[in-house]
Amino acid sequence: MDYNIVAQAYEDMEKTRKRLELLEILSGLFKNTSSKVIERVIYLTQGKIKPDFYGIELGMSDKLVIKVLEKSTSMSKNRIQEEYKKTGDLGEVTKIALSNKVQTTLVKDRLTVERVYSTFEDIANTTGHGSVDIKIAHLSGLLSDCTPLEGKYIIRTLTGILRLGIADYTVLDALAVTYTGDKKNRKYLERTYNISSDLGKVAKIVVEKGLEGLEEINIVVGNPIRPMLAERLSSSQEIIDKVGEKMSLEYKLDGERLQIHVNKKQVSIFSRKLENITNHYPDVSSIMSEINVENMIVEAEAVAINKEDGSYLPFQELMHRRRKHKIKEAVENYPISINLFDIIFFDNEDLTNSSYERRRKILNIIVKKNKKLDIVKNKIIRSAEEIDNFLEQSIEEGCEGLVIKDLQGTYRAGAREYLWIKLKREYKSEMSDTLDLVVIGAIYGKGKRVNRYGALLLAAYNKEEDMFRSFCKVGTGFSDEQLRIIYEKLQKCIIKDKHVMVDSKMEVDVWFKPNIVLEITGSEITISPIHTANMNEIRKDFGLALRFPIFTGRIREDKMAQDITTTMEIMNEYKKQLKKVIN
DNA sequence: TCTGTCTGCCC
DNA sequence: ATTCTGC
DNA sequence: GCAGAATGGGCAGACAGA
C-alpha cells in the first residue's frame, strides 16, 4: 500500500476538528486499506508499531529526530531550532527541511506502508553499542525516499504524537462505520478491544470475519485487559448527587496498579498501560500462591512498605522496584504489600458482568490476609458526611484519598465512567494549601501551545541567602486566554542569562527576571534530584519539589517576588507530611 | 569505568 | 498524573 | 460529557563519549 494514501488522509484530518468529518476521512482511509496491511495502518495511526504489552520501543524522540534532520537534510542546526520554536512541531520542521532538499533522484520508488512499518521495526530492534548511529541511518534512509508531506507524518508517527484529533475511540468508530456499516456497532468492537487490548487485532478480525468474528474473542488469562478507570469529583455532595445514597468507599493507595493473572500457579503481571511487568515483582508469585484457585485475574495496588511496622511509604520508594537488574536486592530493600481491590476472572468464570458487590464478596471469601497480602479497606455508606469522615481517615493512614464505587456497577473494562469516582484531598480546596511562586524561566509550547510558553519554571524564595530556588515547573491549569496573558506579561521580563539571584539546575528556553508571581497548588512535596529548593537540607545533593503542580488561575499582581512562599515554609510543609522518604 | 543525556513509563 | 476545549 | 491533546515529578536503563 502506498504510504502517500495514509499521509494524505492524515493531512486532510489535520484541517478539521469536526468529529464527524474526522470520522469520514478515517473511514475513507480504511476503505482503501486491504486486510493485509490494516493492522499496520492501525498501529501507525496509534503512533506505535505494536500494542504496549509487546514491550517494543522505538527509542527515538525529539532529540534524536533533530539529530537526524541535522545529518540528513541541508537545514542548519540553528534553523532547525528556529523552525521548531516557530511551528512547535517536528513533523512540520521535517516537511520544511525536506522541501528545501535538492532533489537527487528524479524518479524514485513510491514509499509503501510496508516499508515505513518495517523501518520502524528495524529502528525498534536496533540495540547495543553503536545503535544510535544505526537508528539515525534507518530514519535518514526513509526520509531520503519520501515526500515532504510523508516525512511530516513519518516523524509524527515515530514520536507518537499524530496531533490529528483522533485516537482509539475514533478509530473504533471508523472501523464500525467502514466494516459493519453502522457506527452503533462500535460497542461490539470496543468490547473486543477492551478484553484483547489490541486495536490492530480488532481491525483484522472485523475486516476478515465481520461482527461474528468478534464474538469468538473472550478473556484469556495471561492476556491483559484494559483496566476500568475512575472519573474525578471534588466534593462529597457532588458524589451523592451522582451515585445516589448507597455506595462503597475504598481507600486510594499511592502505589502502582497491578493486573495480576494467575494460571495454574503461573503468574503474569501487567501495569495500567498494560506493560508486562512480571519481572519487577518476583515476590508477587509467592504472595499470590496463598490463594488456591486454578486461574484468576485480580487487580491490586502494590505499595512500598516500611520493613519494621508495615506502614505505607511514598510512591517514590516503590519506583525503585521498576527495574530490570538487581531485582533480588530491590525485593529485599523495598518490600511491598499487595492490596487487592477487584477480581475480574475467577475459576474459569468471567466476572466482568457481575456487580461490584459480588466481586468484592468473592475477594473476601478467597483471600486470607497476611502481612504482604490485603484487601483494600472499604466501607458501605449512605451520606455525604460519612464520605468526608472516611476521606479524613484514609489520609491519616497515609492514603491519597478515596475511590467511590457503585455497588451494582459491573467491571467496565477500558471505560472512564461514573461507576468509579476518585476523591483526593487536593481536589477539595479547603483541604489543600496554595503556594505563591515566581516565574524564573519557560519552555516553548508545542502543538496547540505554539507561540506561547508550554511550561513555566517556578521558584520559591530563600530569604536567608536572598535567592530564588527552583521548586517545580507548571504546565496545566491555565486557560488559553491566561496562557496568552502570561506570555505577554513575561516578554518584559526576558533576560539573556539566568538571573544572578536564581539558582536552578534545570535548563529552559527563556530566562526571566523574577517578577511575575503565580498561585499554585499541588499534591505533595517530594525529594528532588533536579530542583534546588532546600538543596541538601533533607538529603545530600537533593532538593525539594512539588508533585502534580497546577496553576490555580490567579496571577498575584499584589505580590512582589520577595513576598512569595519561602523555602523555610516549604520545609515546614514537608515536615508536616505524614510520609517521608527514609534517608 | 564513570558521567551526562535521552527515553519510556509509573504516578 | 491534571486540566482545558471543541464538538 | 466524551475524546483528545497540552502539560507536571521522578525513577531505571541504554548509550555515547570522555
Side-chain angles (χ1 to χ4, degrees):
Chain A
M1 182 182 184
D2 198 337
Y3 183 71
N4 197 251
I5 296 174
V6 177
Q8 192 55 55
Y10 289 167
E11 185 71 2
D12 292 342
M13 284 190 260
E14 205 189 23
K15 294 191 184 107
T16 180
R17 281 195 237 184
K18 294 201 173 72
R19 307 211 50 77
L20 293 175
E21 285 180 20
L22 287 168
L23 183 58
E24 202 180 315
I25 300 164
L26 194 56
S27 177
L29 171 62
F30 292 160
K31 275 199 191 88
N32 289 324
T33 305
S34 73
S35 65
K36 242 173 78 188
V37 284
I38 186 75
E39 276 182 291
R40 280 172 279 192
V41 170
I42 297 283
Y43 295 140
L44 292 177
T45 303
Q46 285 184 297
K48 47 181 89 169
I49 53 176
K50 280 282 172 188
D52 293 328
F53 61 87
Y54 280 78
I56 298 169
E57 284 152 30
L58 287 158
M60 275 193 119
S61 191
D62 285 28
K63 306 287 175 180
L64 271 185
V65 168
I66 289 171
K67 259 193 186 172
V68 172
L69 295 180
E70 282 171 15
K71 279 200 174 177
S72 66
T73 72
S74 55
M75 198 183 255
S76 71
K77 202 173 173 171
N78 282 344
R79 178 83 197 287
I80 291 169
Q81 294 299 340
E82 191 188 310
E83 293 293 343
Y84 193 18
K85 178 190 169 186
K86 213 156 73 186
T87 60
D89 183 308
L90 278 178
E92 287 295 343
V93 180
T94 305
K95 186 176 161 191
I96 296 164
L98 293 181
S99 308
N100 293 343
K101 194 178 65 174
V102 186
Q103 200 82 8
T104 47
T105 46
L106 282 173
V107 186
K108 43 186 179 183
D109 290 333
R110 286 274 181 80
L111 193 62
T112 61
V113 170
E114 290 85 344
R115 162 100 189 272
V116 173
Y117 188 85
S118 73
T119 306
F120 283 4
E121 280 184 321
D122 291 341
I123 289 172
N125 290 331
T126 306
T127 57
H129 201 75
S131 59
V132 168
D133 282 341
I134 299 170
K135 281 181 192 230
I136 289 174
H138 281 310
L139 185 56
S140 296
L142 204 51
L143 291 184
S144 71
D145 290 341
C146 71
T147 66
L149 185 73
E150 289 167 342
K152 171 176 167 183
Y153 291 105
I154 284 170
I155 294 305
R156 286 204 192 171
T157 306
L158 189 68
T159 51
I161 316 161
L162 266 297
R163 288 199 180 106
L164 300 173
I166 56 154
D168 294 6
Y169 292 109
T170 317
V171 170
L172 286 168
D173 274 344
L175 287 171
V177 170
T178 314
Y179 297 110
T180 78
D182 194 342
K183 198 171 134 183
K184 283 197 191 112
N185 290 323
R186 163 175 146 179
K187 58 177 184 278
Y188 303 113
L189 291 144
E190 202 176 323
R191 176 191 163 271
T192 310
Y193 179 40
N194 287 336
I195 60 181
S196 70
S197 309
D198 187 335
L199 205 50
K201 188 175 164 184
V202 175
K204 196 156 198 288
I205 292 169
V206 84
V207 172
E208 289 177 352
K209 301 184 188 168
L211 283 175
E212 293 78 43
L214 297 177
E215 285 166 21
E216 294 164 19
I217 304 296
N218 287 305
I219 292 182
V220 176
V221 179
N223 288 3
I225 70 170
R226 301 183 67 234
M228 183 164 174
L229 304 170
E231 269 297 344
R232 316 168 43 235
L233 286 176
S234 54
S235 76
S236 44
Q237 193 51 54
E238 283 175 277
I239 291 166
I240 294 281
D241 293 345
K242 200 92 194 179
V243 184
E245 44 183 30
K246 197 177 168 194
M247 62 192 84
S248 170
L249 310 180
E250 263 178 21
Y251 277 13
K252 187 177 191 309
L253 310 189
D254 191 11
E256 180 172 15
R257 184 172 178 175
L258 309 185
Q259 191 179 107
I260 306 171
H261 294 233
V262 181
N263 194 10
K264 299 193 176 96
K265 299 284 172 191
Q266 195 69 351
V267 170
S268 38
I269 306 170
F270 300 94
S271 70
R272 206 196 94 143
K273 271 194 68 193
L274 307 180
E275 298 280 334
N276 191 322
I277 50 170
T278 310
N279 295 333
H280 296 167
Y281 296 101
D283 41 341
V284 168
S285 181
S286 69
I287 294 173
M288 295 310 291
S289 67
E290 298 288 314
I291 304 172
N292 203 2
V293 66
E294 169 106 354
N295 55 37
M296 66 176 165
I297 302 171
V298 290
E299 282 206 284
E301 193 80 4
V303 185
I305 54 170
N306 184 316
K307 261 184 197 166
E308 270 76 52
D309 61 5
S311 62
Y312 297 140
L313 293 176
F315 180 73
Q316 261 180 308
E317 286 292 292
L318 180 75
M319 282 299 92
H320 295 302
R321 287 295 292 271
R322 358 177 346 95
R323 60 165 70 199
K324 225 165 135 179
H325 311 303
K326 296 189 184 170
I327 301 268
K328 234 179 170 178
E329 288 92 323
V331 170
E332 182 86 359
N333 294 335
Y334 308 103
I336 56 165
S337 66
I338 294 296
N339 303 273
L340 300 166
F341 61 83
D342 215 322
I343 182 158
I344 299 164
F345 197 88
F346 179 67
D347 206 8
N348 295 309
E349 188 190 351
D350 178 348
L351 296 176
T352 53
N353 287 318
S354 298
S355 69
Y356 167 82
E357 211 167 15
R358 169 153 188 254
R359 302 197 309 272
R360 185 89 198 187
K361 210 172 272 170
I362 294 172
L363 267 188
N364 277 314
I365 292 167
I366 65 170
V367 175
K368 275 175 284 167
K369 297 179 188 177
N370 62 45
K371 254 173 82 179
K372 299 257 166 183
L373 183 65
D374 202 353
I375 299 177
V376 173
K377 196 171 194 171
N378 86 318
K379 188 182 185 185
I380 313 288
I381 61 94
R382 289 171 178 282
S383 73
E385 197 194 339
E386 285 178 289
I387 298 180
D388 290 328
N389 291 340
F390 206 57
L391 174 63
E392 201 72 52
Q393 189 186 326
S394 79
I395 287 159
E396 266 166 39
E397 289 184 39
C399 299
E400 287 188 296
L402 300 176
V403 183
I404 290 90
K405 297 186 177 176
D406 187 321
L407 289 163
Q408 300 315 317
T410 56
Y411 190 91
R412 300 272 295 119
R416 174 166 266 148
E417 293 168 330
Y418 286 92
L419 293 177
W420 289 8
I421 299 167
K422 280 191 277 192
L423 178 64
K424 299 197 352 189
R425 172 177 49 179
E426 64 259 31
Y427 302 164
K428 303 184 67 169
S429 52
E430 69 273 21
M431 288 181 82
S432 69
D433 298 324
T434 62
L435 303 102
D436 298 313
L437 300 172
V438 70
V439 185
I440 58 172
I443 289 94
Y444 299 136
K446 316 262 194 298
K448 65 184 177 186
R449 292 262 176 100
V450 68
N451 296 322
R452 303 276 180 271
Y453 297 126
L456 307 172
L457 180 62
L458 304 177
Y461 182 48
N462 183 317
K463 230 174 203 165
E464 297 72 38
E465 292 165 52
D466 196 21
M467 288 289 281
F468 296 96
R469 303 204 199 277
S470 82
F471 184 51
C472 65
K473 286 194 284 181
V474 65
T476 191
F478 0 70
S479 63
D480 291 354
E481 174 71 357
Q482 283 171 330
L483 206 60
R484 184 184 61 76
I485 292 170
I486 292 170
Y487 178 83
E488 277 160 19
K489 277 184 188 295
L490 283 168
Q491 295 314 295
K492 293 175 203 136
C493 305
I494 294 177
I495 48 181
K496 211 162 178 267
D497 295 300
K498 191 166 20 179
H499 194 272
V500 287
M501 287 168 71
V502 164
D503 173 27
S504 165
K505 282 208 266 181
M506 196 164 265
E507 287 303 319
V508 294
D509 292 326
V510 192
W511 290 108
F512 303 117
K513 187 164 155 278
N515 182 237
I516 306 289
V517 178
L518 303 181
E519 190 182 80
I520 303 293
T521 63
S523 71
E524 65 183 329
I525 298 166
T526 59
I527 291 184
S528 172
I530 179 76
H531 288 291
T532 56
N534 306 80
M535 180 58 78
N536 295 324
E537 290 178 34
I538 295 291
R539 185 193 285 176
K540 190 171 177 297
D541 293 329
F542 283 77
L544 295 180
L546 186 64
R547 190 182 185 196
F548 307 142
I550 299 156
F551 174 49
T552 63
R554 279 184 283 275
I555 304 171
R556 296 300 301 257
E557 312 266 10
D558 56 316
K559 289 219 172 182
M560 306 276 286
Q562 272 80 0
D563 301 330
I564 64 171
T565 301
T566 63
T567 53
M568 194 185 279
E569 287 168 327
I570 288 171
M571 181 52 70
N572 289 338
E573 272 306 307
Y574 180 74
K575 284 179 176 161
K576 273 203 304 204
Q577 276 178 202
L578 275 168
K579 306 174 292 174
K580 285 186 253 348
V581 174
I582 300 159
N583 286 288

